[in-house]
Amino acid sequence: MRDASPTTIYLKDHTPFGYIVDSVHLTFDLVPHATRVTSRIAFRPNPDAEDKTFFLHGEELKLIRTAIDGQEVTPELTDKGLTCPVPDAPFTWEAEVEIDPGNNTALEGLYMSNGMYCTQCEAEGFRKITYYPDRPDVMSTFSVRINGPHPVLLSNGNPTGSGDGWAEWTDPWPKPAYLFALVAGELVAHSDRFTTRSGRDVALNLYVRPGDEGKCAFGMEALKKSMTWDEDVYGREYDLDVFNIVAVDDFNMGAMENKGLNIFNSSAVLASPETSTDANFERIEAIIAHEYFHNWTGNRITCRDWFQLCLKEGLTVFRDAQFTSDMRSASVKRIHDVIDLRARQFPEDQGPLSHPVRPESFQEINNFYTATVYEKGAEVIGMLKRLVGDEPYAKALDLYFDRHDGQACTIEDWLQVFEDATTRDLSQFKRWYSQAGTPRVKVEEDWADGTYTLTLSQSTAPTPGQSEKQPQVIPVAVGLLGPNGDEVLGTQMLELTKESQSYTFDGLAAKPVPSILRGFSAPVVIDRDTTPAERAFLLAHDTDPFNRWEAGRALAQDTLLRMITEDAAPNADYLDGLLAVLRDDSLDPAYRALMLGLPTQSELAAALHERGTTPDPMAIWTAVETLRQATAQHMQDLLPRLHGQSLIDAPYRPDAEQSGKRALGSAALALISRLDGGAQAAGEYARADNMTLQLSALSCLLKSGKGETELAAFYDQWQHDRLVIDKWFGLQIALAAPDKTPGLTKTLTEHADFNWKNPNRFRAVMGALAMNHAGFHHESGAGYELLADWLIRLDPVNPQTTARMCTAFQTWKRYDADRQDLIRAQLMRILAQLDLSRDSREMLERIKAA
Ligand code: ARG
Ligand code: ZN
């Protein structure tokens, strides 16, 4: 981990491993500070490999004994692994190592969380468990024996024996080591069963700590729905006798798709109406689905090397988005995903961390589990489906599963399947995998003699390491509306492949209004000079739900930018258009709630920066507050009716219908609170019987400068529940006034419950600080300094979570010279830490190079 001269790994250097692994047997003797891991591995020379160096990865291992075919050997050790002369024929390798899970705070490999043992091996954690060719193209069956005094002892595959103090597991499906998992502890199961469509009876278990039994039912239902959906939509069945999920409090990410034994951050699986918001439920349903879907897209077909990460992640995100669209509302899901893409992926793609969906080099692979690989990776698959069509997509996927089951594959394999199934040439499309940056598409229009012409031109700004960009294949879904608001041309898919292309539409009676990039058909930015009146027209009439929302969003952004740069008053087209949409009871409440949203302050900063204006975080904050106030006043009469939506006369259900109503009601309550100073919210807080409404009322109170009593009562009520206390920390910081934010955050880091070694708690506090745009960027620099203090403190303990949090600084070049100086000083201060992890060093060096 500590690395003076980190090496860079290149995609072009990939060569196969010199040996094939036929089987792995592992024995674990679990002791907190001295766990013994004994491995017996059957190797044979790989006829397809030239390089026969026998190198096994291994880090932070105490080697006790090694033998080849029963004869003790003495390998050559480095801090990265070992080499050893081996026979030019099949042989059995044995090794015994000792590890210290009790002191593993990095949460990678085998570690302990609240007395329970668990593992996280993706991407390169298995090498901290034993010596092994820890690379995804080395696949093998595994059998595991666990010796330990715990009532629950789990590993991958099927249970094949157990007794007092031991259990054995056998996984018949060959897998790479990153999918290995082990769990041991005092856990209780919430159990169910599922019968696959070919009749396999599968035992389902969700293991949790005693006390959390009441938070399992929703996750279990989500799992069963996912299993059914993957059979119905992709024809994919589950392939073991058991499917286990374990909830863990200390976890660096959301969840992990280990074969037959998914391990989840407890925040990504535990839910109850009293302790979880509607948004939590929706996220949990999506993550359960995501990890389950990996069983085919990730596990049965895995990645040849980590450069191909998007092969499994982009596809699996795409699949879980399809699932959510089917379970809930497709247009609401699409809007959520685009909001998320713009908030997380666009800043990455447009800043110093920009990298292709398939990167070509890295120092620390953990730094590449990014919004670009995941979310843009999913967008690329969505475009592919849009270009080839639904039927050919299904055909290509069948071929993919057929041809590559049991293999470790590349993006080339993936695209080949589409070429073979559709006879389409995808060589230009492939640039989506190799070119970084967000393409911009400029739209120009012409109207003459009844012919309407749209000219689309694409360009992508240079990104680190890529100064020249080639044109990409961009599917642009377009519809045309007539002057009376009727659609005169339904959605057409224009394929932009050149730098600039024109498309003509004849036979129109009048100049139409174009609705461009319907459904957000490509992850690009549209540049088009247009008037607020035209946006308001689309907001009123567009038949494409996404673009209708988009028109409102763009109108909001236009007015905010003008308020910031020209001191303009809130635009009446926006306020009137919004009012009309919100009044329309035929529209889904969830959709109307989204209409009430505004671009984030960080997005506004980016938009100003693009227009050559240096963003002033305080001016942005003020404009948003002013527009919110004006919106509240403008809608005053409608608000009580909208708020009434959240008062549902039925038992709580976290489904799309009820959560949409609560979202709209809560958004209305936030506006009402701007008019009545939080009076109504106080009553709502007292009445709330679910976390969604409780938290929304508390937010309104805090935002109104009130709620001190409620905040204290909330803490007392939920003191025993870590996930709720995470919310308690995060909410206060998120809603703090800019000048109070750094100070309040500092005070909260002194709170007895600030367990900073717990990633969820660290993120609840430091993530909220970084997200409070005007507070984090307070001119004193106190926000920057506080974050840097804590990054320095966390880095030696947990490099992965530290490195991820460094992204808070990725946009630093947008801001004024004074702020840049303040941030640069903090970047330098962190980088001056001699022992800084490879993870954080790589991130900070890239950010600094902006
Ligand atoms: N494969 C997991 C998931 O997407 C995430 C693993 C993240 N690993 C990491 N080192 N950041 O479902
Ligand atoms: Zn995944």
Side-chain angles (χ1 to χ4, degrees):
M1 201 169 23
R2 303 289 172 271
D3 210 330
S5 57
T7 38
T8 301
I9 323 259
Y10 295 93
L11 167 60
K12 61 174 168 47
D13 291 345
H14 178 90
T15 53
F17 184 53
Y19 300 84
I20 289 169
V21 177
D22 286 319
S23 68
V24 177
H25 181 76
L26 302 171
T27 304
F28 288 82
D29 293 288
L30 296 175
V31 178
H33 293 294
T35 290
R36 283 285 165 113
V37 184
T38 310
S39 58
R40 200 173 66 241
I41 306 169
F43 285 104
R44 79 186 135 95
N46 178 357
D48 296 332
E50 257 165 56
D51 183 357
K52 289 287 191 310
T53 311
F54 186 73
F55 173 77
L56 303 183
H57 296 103
E59 290 176 17
E60 296 164 42
L61 306 171
K62 188 165 138 199
L63 180 58
I64 311 290
R65 186 186 66 93
T66 45
I68 290 176
D69 291 331
Q71 295 290 107
E72 273 203 31
V73 290
T74 312
E76 213 174 294
L77 301 181
T78 71
D79 59 351
K80 298 270 163 247
L82 61 74
T83 49
C84 189
V86 298
D88 188 20
F91 62 94
T92 301
W93 164 268
E94 285 170 283
E96 194 175 336
V97 302
E98 192 180 289
I99 53 178
D100 184 357
N103 273 329
N104 181 350
T105 57
L107 315 182
E108 193 184 43
L110 179 67
Y111 66 94
M112 299 190 75
S113 168
N114 297 316
M116 139 189 187
Y117 290 85
C118 64
T119 52
Q120 172 57 35
C121 292
E122 187 179 3
E124 299 179 334
F126 192 76
R127 63 190 63 182
K128 293 176 156 190
I129 294 177
T130 192
Y131 288 99
Y132 196 73
D134 187 8
R135 37 185 293 170
D137 58 345
V138 174
M139 298 173 82
S140 171
T141 56
F142 281 65
S143 62
V144 177
R145 180 181 170 108
I146 312 168
N147 299 319
H150 318 84
V152 173
L153 301 169
L154 306 172
S155 190
N156 315 89
N158 295 317
T160 40
S162 63
D164 197 18
W166 66 276
E168 278 178 3
W169 291 82
T170 304
D171 185 356
W173 299 103
K175 66 167 177 290
Y178 82 86
L179 292 172
F180 170 81
L182 178 149
V183 168
E186 230 169 282
L187 299 168
V188 287
H190 174 98
S191 304
D192 208 328
R193 306 203 76 84
F194 183 85
T195 308
T196 68
R197 66 173 182 187
S198 72
R200 179 194 285 272
D201 180 36
V202 185
L204 311 177
N205 300 294
L206 174 44
Y207 285 97
V208 298
R209 286 167 61 195
D212 285 333
E213 299 91 332
K215 292 183 172 184
C216 297
F218 179 81
M220 183 59 80
E221 288 312 307
L223 174 60
K224 290 190 289 178
K225 281 190 213 170
S226 307
M227 295 177 86
T228 303
W229 186 90
D230 213 16
E231 291 186 354
D232 291 349
V233 180
Y234 280 83
R236 298 294 116 201
E237 260 184 67
Y238 189 60
D239 53 6
L240 291 167
D241 302 333
V242 297
F243 189 83
N244 288 324
I245 294 180
V246 181
V248 179
D249 286 333
D250 299 284
F251 204 68
N252 277 335
M253 46 227 120
M256 180 62 211
E257 69 264 22
N258 318 298
K259 184 81 189 191
L261 177 54
N262 287 0
I263 298 183
F264 273 62
N265 185 320
S266 49
S267 75
V269 57
L270 300 182
S272 75
E274 297 72 34
T275 60
S276 315
T277 63
D278 290 326
N280 294 150
F281 279 102
E282 179 166 346
R283 173 168 178 265
I284 287 168
E285 185 176 81
I287 297 180
I288 297 254
H290 179 95
E291 305 310 333
Y292 175 73
F293 296 159
H294 268 314
N295 191 52
W296 274 93
T297 50
N299 302 1
R300 289 285 287 258
I301 304 180
T302 192
C303 302
R304 187 193 69 176
D305 53 69
W306 292 118
F307 297 103
Q308 322 292 330
L309 183 59
C310 64
L311 178 75
K312 73 177 178 82
E313 295 303 346
L315 178 54
T316 307
V317 171
F318 180 71
R319 274 152 49 69
D320 82 55
Q322 287 182 296
F323 168 78
T324 299
S325 309
D326 286 354
M327 296 297 124
R328 293 166 180 262
S329 150
S331 45
V332 168
K333 171 63 175 165
R334 189 66 189 135
I335 294 167
H336 278 301
D337 282 350
V338 174
I339 289 174
D340 180 66
L341 191 79
R342 286 180 176 153
R344 299 194 304 117
Q345 200 275 328
F346 279 22
E348 185 169 273
D349 224 1
Q350 295 164 21
L353 298 178
S354 183
H355 56 277
V357 169
R358 180 170 69 176
E360 274 150 34
S361 68
F362 62 73
Q363 288 175 9
E364 173 49 62
I365 184 57
N366 283 325
N367 288 337
F368 285 84
Y369 285 73
T370 59
T372 297
V373 169
Y374 276 65
E375 273 71 33
K376 188 177 179 182
E379 290 299 321
V380 170
I381 293 178
M383 284 189 286
L384 194 52
K385 181 162 181 279
R386 235 159 267 138
L387 289 168
V388 301
D390 293 352
E391 288 286 311
Y393 172 82
K395 208 173 123 201
L397 266 285
D398 285 344
L399 182 59
Y400 180 62
F401 293 122
D402 228 45
R403 185 182 285 175
H404 294 297
D405 187 11
Q407 299 178 1
C409 296
T410 60
I411 289 304
E412 283 71 18
D413 295 327
W414 165 253
L415 290 175
Q416 188 63 50
V417 155
F418 277 80
E419 293 200 332
D420 293 350
T422 68
T423 71
R424 203 183 162 102
D425 178 357
L426 292 171
S427 39
Q428 189 187 0
F429 184 82
K430 196 176 170 189
R431 287 179 191 152
W432 279 107
Y433 287 99
S434 58
Q435 273 190 179
T438 312
R440 303 187 77 96
V441 176
K442 189 165 176 234
V443 179
E444 287 156 305
E445 49 185 338
D446 186 57
W447 169 251
D449 310 323
T451 296
Y452 179 68
T453 306
L454 269 180
T455 301
L456 306 180
S457 318
Q458 59 169 305
S459 67
T460 304
T463 55
Q466 289 184 345
S467 47
E468 295 295 320
K469 305 283 181 178
Q470 304 297 316
Q472 294 179 199
V473 185
I474 304 180
V476 182
V478 170
L480 299 178
L481 304 185
N484 64 353
D486 287 348
E487 190 167 80
V488 292
L489 181 80
T491 306
Q492 310 271 307
M493 196 64 72
L494 309 182
E495 272 184 44
L496 177 61
T497 57
K498 306 206 178 88
E499 225 161 79
S500 180
Q501 263 166 280
S502 294
Y503 307 84
T504 56
F505 305 89
D506 294 320
L508 299 166
K511 181 178 183 226
V513 175
S515 164
I516 294 168
L517 206 70
R518 285 185 156 185
F520 200 69
S521 57
V524 302
V525 175
I526 296 289
D527 285 322
R528 174 158 182 259
D529 284 326
T530 181
T531 60
E534 192 179 309
R535 296 209 199 277
F537 176 86
L538 289 170
L539 172 60
H541 300 292
D542 205 325
T543 53
D544 180 72
F546 176 83
N547 261 11
R548 191 171 180 192
W549 170 82
E550 179 81 322
R553 186 77 157 194
L555 202 46
Q557 174 156 317
D558 287 349
T559 186
L560 284 164
L561 294 181
R562 272 187 248 271
M563 290 166 73
I564 295 161
T565 57
E566 300 162 19
D567 220 12
N571 179 291
D573 283 321
Y574 170 69
L575 294 174
D576 292 339
L578 190 64
L579 182 60
V581 169
L582 268 291
R583 253 199 200 120
D584 183 350
D585 285 329
S586 72
L587 292 170
D588 178 4
Y591 183 74
R592 283 187 278 164
L594 285 170
M595 284 286 188
L596 275 174
L598 291 179
T600 65
Q601 293 174 46
S602 176
E603 274 177 82
L604 293 167
L608 288 164
H609 176 69
E610 273 165 24
R611 288 161 178 74
T613 307
T614 303
D616 170 0
M618 265 325 285
I620 296 173
W621 184 83
T622 307
V624 169
E625 291 297 315
T626 308
L627 185 60
R628 276 302 190 213
Q629 197 66 34
T631 306
Q633 269 147 12
H634 199 75
M635 295 201 174
Q636 187 157 12
D637 297 342
L638 182 63
L639 293 175
R641 197 173 103 210
L642 297 181
H643 174 250
Q645 294 270 355
S646 58
L647 311 173
I648 298 168
D649 192 19
Y652 178 92
R653 273 184 285 116
D655 59 8
E657 194 198 331
Q658 279 200 7
S659 52
K661 289 180 172 172
R662 279 187 288 271
L664 182 55
S666 298
L669 186 62
L671 294 173
I672 290 170
S673 300
R674 287 179 179 271
L675 302 175
D676 76 356
Q680 189 169 349
E684 296 303 323
Y685 184 82
R687 263 192 297 282
D689 60 357
N690 61 67
M691 183 51 64
T692 308
L693 294 184
Q694 194 178 13
L695 217 53
S696 109
L698 184 57
S699 306
C700 293
L701 289 169
L702 294 177
K703 192 77 188 120
S704 311
K706 307 228 166 74
E708 225 173 290
T709 323
E710 288 82 357
L711 191 64
F714 186 94
Y715 178 82
D716 289 340
Q717 185 184 355
W718 296 116
Q719 210 172 353
H720 59 281
D721 191 309
R722 289 188 181 217
L723 297 175
V724 181
I725 294 302
D726 287 338
K727 300 184 199 304
W728 180 83
F729 274 99
L731 190 71
Q732 300 177 57
I733 299 168
L735 296 174
D739 59 335
K740 301 255 162 54
T741 305
L744 173 71
T745 310
K746 187 153 200 289
T747 306
L748 285 172
T749 60
E750 286 150 14
H751 193 283
D753 286 342
F754 182 58
N755 309 316
W756 55 275
K757 293 183 183 174
N758 173 261
N760 289 358
R761 189 60 47 90
F762 188 88
R763 273 191 295 259
V765 172
M766 291 299 147
L769 168 64
M771 293 283 287
N772 182 329
H773 185 257
F776 179 56
H777 291 286
H778 189 266
E779 60 183 352
S780 63
Y784 308 144
E785 192 179 344
L786 183 63
L787 179 61
D789 286 346
W790 281 98
L791 294 176
I792 289 170
R793 189 138 171 204
L794 186 66
D795 186 67
V797 170
N798 186 334
Q800 261 188 58
T801 291
T802 310
R804 181 147 294 221
M805 200 60 75
C806 290
T807 57
F809 292 118
Q810 72 177 324
T811 56
W812 68 296
K813 285 282 174 163
R814 284 178 192 161
Y815 299 94
D816 54 84
D818 288 346
R819 283 186 173 84
Q820 287 192 28
D821 287 345
L822 291 166
I823 296 175
R824 189 184 298 101
Q826 297 306 325
L827 297 176
M828 298 310 288
R829 182 161 72 95
I830 310 171
L831 279 165
Q833 305 299 307
L834 289 181
D835 265 357
L836 197 68
S837 65
R838 176 174 64 198
D839 308 54
S840 300
R841 187 168 299 279
E842 181 185 26
M843 291 298 270
L844 293 166
E845 292 289 0
R846 286 163 68 205
I847 291 170
K848 196 184 69 166

